[in-house]
Amino acid sequence: MDKKAMYKLSYGLFVLTSAFEGRDGGCIINTGIQVTSEPNRISIAVNKSNFTRELVEKSGRFNLSVLSEAADFDTFRHFGFQSGRDVDKFASYAACERSANGLYYITGGTNAFLSGSVEQTIDLGSHILFIAGVDDMEVLSADPSATYAYYQSEIKPKPAQQPATGKTAWRCKVCGYVYEGEELPADFICPLCKHPASDFEKVVI
Ligand code: FE
């Protein structure tokens, strides 16, 4: 069995937004897909540790903004590398508006949004799978949708070019953060994007 087969699956990238009792939240996910067309339904899988997952579970509503190739790294940093538990991501965020359901959607670096009402919630251990009917949707731009592969190759900053030192280090595959050392502690959490040690690759710098 070659586990690299999993890397051949392609993914889109989205800002998932929701709100409950006046508290707005948003996070980056790569798990939005259409699952039926009659009626129109979408599914999203959201890591339980995400604050926005709580908001979706409590309110039963969300918006899914589709990130396009025009999205900049700051959009990923803003919604992906900090938690809504610690900061209000909408306190000073300009590129958003509220849709008919009262939730924010993202207007910069996106090409569409869909408004969902949760019909089924399935506990998958690390993630919650939400299946939702689509109440509303709009196209926002003609830019192509960003794939996870496009993010990795075109949006994520390239590691700084420095003279090789020959040192062993570990690079976060999500955000590019580099930890210098022969061994990466098993419980290491990326200080930038909060992804675990399993998302690091060994490199020589
Ligand atoms: Fe990281």
Side-chain angles (χ1 to χ4, degrees), residues 34-168:
Q34 180 179 10
V35 286
T36 63
S37 56
E38 299 282 343
N40 217 343
R41 286 195 192 95
I42 55 177
S43 72
I44 53 171
V46 191
N47 193 299
K48 281 184 183 172
S49 65
N50 277 332
F51 178 64
T52 308
R53 185 271 310 165
E54 287 180 38
L55 300 176
V56 175
E57 259 191 310
K58 288 173 179 168
S59 70
R61 295 176 308 139
F62 63 85
N63 281 345
L64 195 64
S65 299
V66 182
L67 287 159
S68 76
E69 292 184 356
D72 58 17
F73 186 63
D74 278 345
T75 305
F76 290 89
R77 192 200 313 266
H78 186 80
F79 288 104
F81 298 177
Q82 55 184 350
S83 173
R85 279 191 194 82
D86 309 323
V87 293
D88 177 357
K89 297 183 187 178
F90 291 95
S92 58
Y93 197 75
C96 57
E97 288 181 23
R98 290 196 188 270
S99 56
N101 62 4
L103 304 177
Y104 279 121
Y105 65 96
I106 309 305
T107 56
T110 53
N111 60 16
F113 79 90
L114 299 93
S115 296
S117 288
V118 175
E119 295 178 355
Q120 289 185 57
T121 299
I122 301 168
D123 190 329
L124 298 177
S126 61
H127 289 63
I128 300 282
L129 179 69
F130 297 102
I131 296 170
V134 179
D135 304 322
D136 192 12
M137 48 187 154
E138 295 293 340
V139 171
L140 303 173
S141 87
D143 297 322
S145 300
T147 61
Y148 187 65
Y150 186 88
Y151 166 77
Q152 290 286 345
S153 67
E154 305 297 330
I155 298 176
K156 189 174 79 175
K158 301 281 182 289
Q161 290 299 316
Q162 292 165 339
T165 62
K167 283 187 199 160
T168 301

Side-chain angles (χ1 to χ4, degrees), residues 172 174-177 190 192-195 200:
C172 176
V174 177
C175 74
Y177 175 83
C190 178
L192 275 186
C193 72
K194 313 300 181 198
H195 277 71
F200 280 71

